[in-house]
Amino acid sequence: SAVISQKPSRDICQRGTSLTIQCQVDSQVTMMFWYRQQPGQSLTLIATANQGSEATYESGFVIDKFPISRPNLTFSTLTVSNMSPEDSSIYLCSVAIASSYNEQFFGPGTRLTVL
Amino acid sequence: DAKTTQPPSMDCAEGRAANLPCNHSTISGNEYVYWYRQIHSQGPQYIIHGLKNNETNEMASLIITEDRKSSTLILPHATLRDTAVYYCIVRVAGTASKLTFGTGTRLQVTL
């Protein structure tokens, strides 16, 4: 299994600013993913964070708005840039490990409110 | 990934079996059925997965029809702690591919 922590757990930000969310895993993992969950909605994949290379973004998400870093096999960051109230969501980090690709593990999420 | 259809909500009395249906009529031969749940204010949690045979683990049972076009997740003795949104997802097993979440079923377990 994998234990995932995210920082911050929640934040309230002003529009036009940026927030960087950290995801730390207690073991080396193969794949890391970032999801967004808008209020009352299901989860939507933002991107796959690739170690040592640029992230792979899903349709509707761009690097300028959601830059992602993954400097090693246990850590990743997601930045929400130039925020607007529409970015108010829960952002979740997820990982897949080679010994258990059938089960993805999720972090507790970061609850972001943009005023 | 194939699309799934689930009822938006269900109720279940505590101690009774909760049967959550899922339709996946366009599932491919190499795709498995996965179930996750999301308890309020937490990240999703894996429950179970299967290809065509019925599966059981400590959390639940998964019944997949012979034509694989639908399945049912069974929580044999639901408790209040099982109140959550349950997601049925189809994907190729054994790969680190992404999960595509549908709208899920909100299960409310009551006294």
Side-chain angles (χ1 to χ4, degrees):
Chain A
S1 67
V3 178
I4 304 167
S5 60
Q6 288 186 230
K7 291 182 180 179
S9 58
R10 59 177 61 227
D11 206 343
I12 301 173
C13 301
Q14 298 297 319
R15 69 171 66 210
T17 63
S18 297
L19 176 71
T20 295
I21 302 168
Q22 299 179 4
C23 176
Q24 179 73 55
V25 192
D26 68 341
S27 58
Q28 294 187 347
V29 297
T30 307
M31 306 289 287
M32 297 181 78
F33 306 91
W34 286 99
Y35 289 82
R36 180 177 74 180
Q37 188 169 29
Q38 295 177 299
Q41 303 296 312
S42 183
L43 286 80
T44 301
L45 181 66
I46 297 172
T48 302
N50 301 309
Q51 196 267 328
S53 65
E54 196 170 281
T56 304
Y57 290 85
E58 296 297 306
S59 175
F61 297 96
V62 295
I63 187 172
D64 290 346
K65 176 66 175 178
F66 298 102
I68 289 171
S69 77
R70 189 179 172 191
N72 56 52
L73 294 177
T74 64
F75 185 79
S76 178
T77 66
L78 167 74
T79 299
V80 186
S81 303
N82 188 25
M83 289 183 286
S84 67
E86 291 72 34
D87 293 319
S88 297
S89 297
I90 299 173
Y91 292 86
L92 298 110
C93 172
S94 170
V95 305
I97 57 179
S99 62
S100 181
Y101 278 153
N102 288 318
E103 180 176 357
Q104 285 191 15
F105 302 91
F106 286 80
T110 295
R111 183 180 294 273
L112 171 63
T113 301
V114 184
L115 302 177
Chain B
D1 291 342
K3 186 174 181 179
T4 62
T5 304
Q6 299 177 250
S9 64
M10 295 183 64
D11 292 329
C12 179
E14 188 175 35
R16 303 298 294 271
N19 298 282
L20 293 91
C22 178
N23 288 320
H24 32 79
S25 58
T26 60
I27 191 170
S28 299
N30 63 345
E31 288 181 318
Y32 285 58
V33 180
Y34 288 77
W35 285 83
Y36 281 73
R37 74 179 183 184
Q38 186 176 27
I39 296 171
H40 184 62
S41 297
Q42 297 182 23
Q45 174 192 23
Y46 165 84
I47 300 173
I48 197 168
H49 77 282
L51 179 65
K52 57 182 179 180
N53 298 318
N54 298 339
E55 302 288 344
T56 296
N57 62 20
E58 64 278 5
M59 291 183 66
S61 295
L62 174 60
I63 308 298
I64 302 173
T65 58
E66 191 170 345
D67 64 7
R68 303 208 323 121
K69 293 184 177 181
S70 65
S71 60
T72 301
L73 178 75
I74 302 173
L75 308 178
H77 305 287
T79 71
L80 297 177
R81 288 173 295 184
D82 292 321
T83 293
V85 178
Y86 288 77
Y87 296 100
C88 169
I89 300 167
V90 294
R91 67 188 277 261
V92 177
T95 65
S97 59
K98 64 185 181 182
L99 295 173
T100 301
F101 287 83
T103 54
T105 296
R106 183 174 299 276
L107 175 67
Q108 180 68 53
V109 181
T110 58
L111 291 172

